[in-house]
Amino acid sequence: QSALTQPPSASGSPGQSVTISCTGTGSDVGGYNYVSWYQQYPGKAPKLMIYEVSKRPSGVPDRFSGSKSGNTASLTVSGLQAEDEADYYCSSYGGSNNLLFGGGTKLTVL
Amino acid sequence: QLQLQESGPGLVKPSETLSLTCSVSDGSMSSSGYYWGWIRQPPGKGLEWIGSIYYSGNTFYNPSLESRVTISVDTSKKHFSLKLASVTAADTAVYYCARLAYYGDSAAYWGQGTLVTVSS
């Protein structure tokens, strides 16, 4: 059982928006603005898409955005494209130099 | 562009020690802004942080693995290493090394990953 809770799956049609949630506690997601989101294709290493809740690394399309409310963080993908179909993982600093991951969400573009 | 590359045996026997090394190229390991970490992913499952090390040698481990994990760093050779003792089949996974931000632990750079299978 993962420390952070994500829905196992999400889906949307091309052009639509989809939001993936990541729920923790006040000791991790809710306690720090240190939530990250990763995109992972099969057989590949994860790629950082969002850090510090809502910041995008250089090169990540602005279709990807992050937010947080209380103990739940969210990743929104707008204007869905076929290439967005992948697994998405959230992570959060958990205090005491501890790093937590969510169980992952498989995003399907219909 | 920073590059990381894992290396080590792909097959380890139960009860033995898993040993992996991550070589870092095209970048300094002595920056104060980053940790160097190990993350694993069992086949078909999610990511799990194993532990991290600062260039000075300070280490931080996942509490669930702490009793079996040792991470070390050699900045002169530009690599850091993972040892996981008393392995079982549950330790079978793709092991990634990564550079984590000092504040927030976000990982912008990852190795390609290496599959380690625990089997007799």
Side-chain angles (χ1 to χ4, degrees):
Chain A
Q1 187 173 356
S2 301
L4 306 178
T5 301
Q6 296 181 236
S9 63
S11 63
S13 300
Q16 289 185 333
S17 294
V18 64
T19 297
I20 300 170
S21 62
C22 171
T23 302
T25 70
S27 298
D28 38 70
V29 173
Y32 307 92
N33 288 322
Y34 288 143
V35 175
S36 301
W37 289 91
Y38 299 89
Q39 177 190 63
Q40 186 180 35
Y41 294 115
K44 300 295 186 182
K47 174 187 176 183
L48 181 65
M49 305 300 283
I50 297 287
Y51 67 101
E52 293 179 13
V53 176
S54 60
K55 298 178 180 179
R56 272 189 312 276
S58 175
V60 173
D62 60 5
R63 302 185 294 103
F64 291 86
S65 62
S67 62
K68 189 185 81 168
S69 178
N71 297 337
T72 298
S74 299
L75 171 72
T76 297
V77 186
S78 305
L80 266 178
Q81 299 181 5
E83 67 204 52
D84 300 332
E85 184 162 298
D87 294 328
Y88 290 85
Y89 292 90
C90 64
S91 73
S92 175
Y93 177 69
S96 302
N97 297 109
N98 197 15
L99 176 61
L100 307 173
F101 282 97
T105 298
K106 182 177 181 58
L107 175 60
T108 300
V109 180
L110 301 171
Chain B
Q1 178 82 347
L2 186 75
Q3 295 185 60
L4 295 87
Q5 178 69 58
E6 306 89 351
S7 61
L11 181 63
V12 181
K13 290 182 168 56
S15 80
E16 295 190 344
T17 297
L18 178 159
S19 296
L20 295 174
T21 295
C22 181
S23 300
V24 179
S25 59
D26 298 330
S28 171
M29 289 197 72
S30 301
S31 169
S32 61
Y34 304 101
Y35 290 106
W36 304 92
W38 290 96
I39 295 159
R40 70 180 183 179
Q41 185 172 34
K45 296 187 178 181
L47 301 166
E48 179 181 34
W49 173 70
I50 299 170
S52 302
I53 190 164
Y54 200 48
Y55 76 93
S56 61
N58 289 352
T59 52
F60 309 96
Y61 300 135
N62 185 323
S64 69
L65 298 169
E66 187 166 14
S67 63
R68 298 194 290 132
V69 174
T70 302
I71 297 176
S72 58
V73 65
D74 187 331
T75 55
S76 65
K77 295 183 179 179
K78 298 191 71 175
H79 72 224
F80 60 107
S81 301
L82 168 70
K83 291 187 184 300
L84 181 65
S86 304
V87 297
T88 69
D91 295 309
T92 294
V94 174
Y95 285 76
Y96 295 100
C97 59
R99 191 185 78 171
L100 286 73
Y102 186 87
Y103 291 106
D105 291 339
S106 60
Y109 293 94
W110 296 68
Q112 65 184 26
T114 186
L115 175 63
V116 179
T117 301
V118 178
S119 175
S120 55

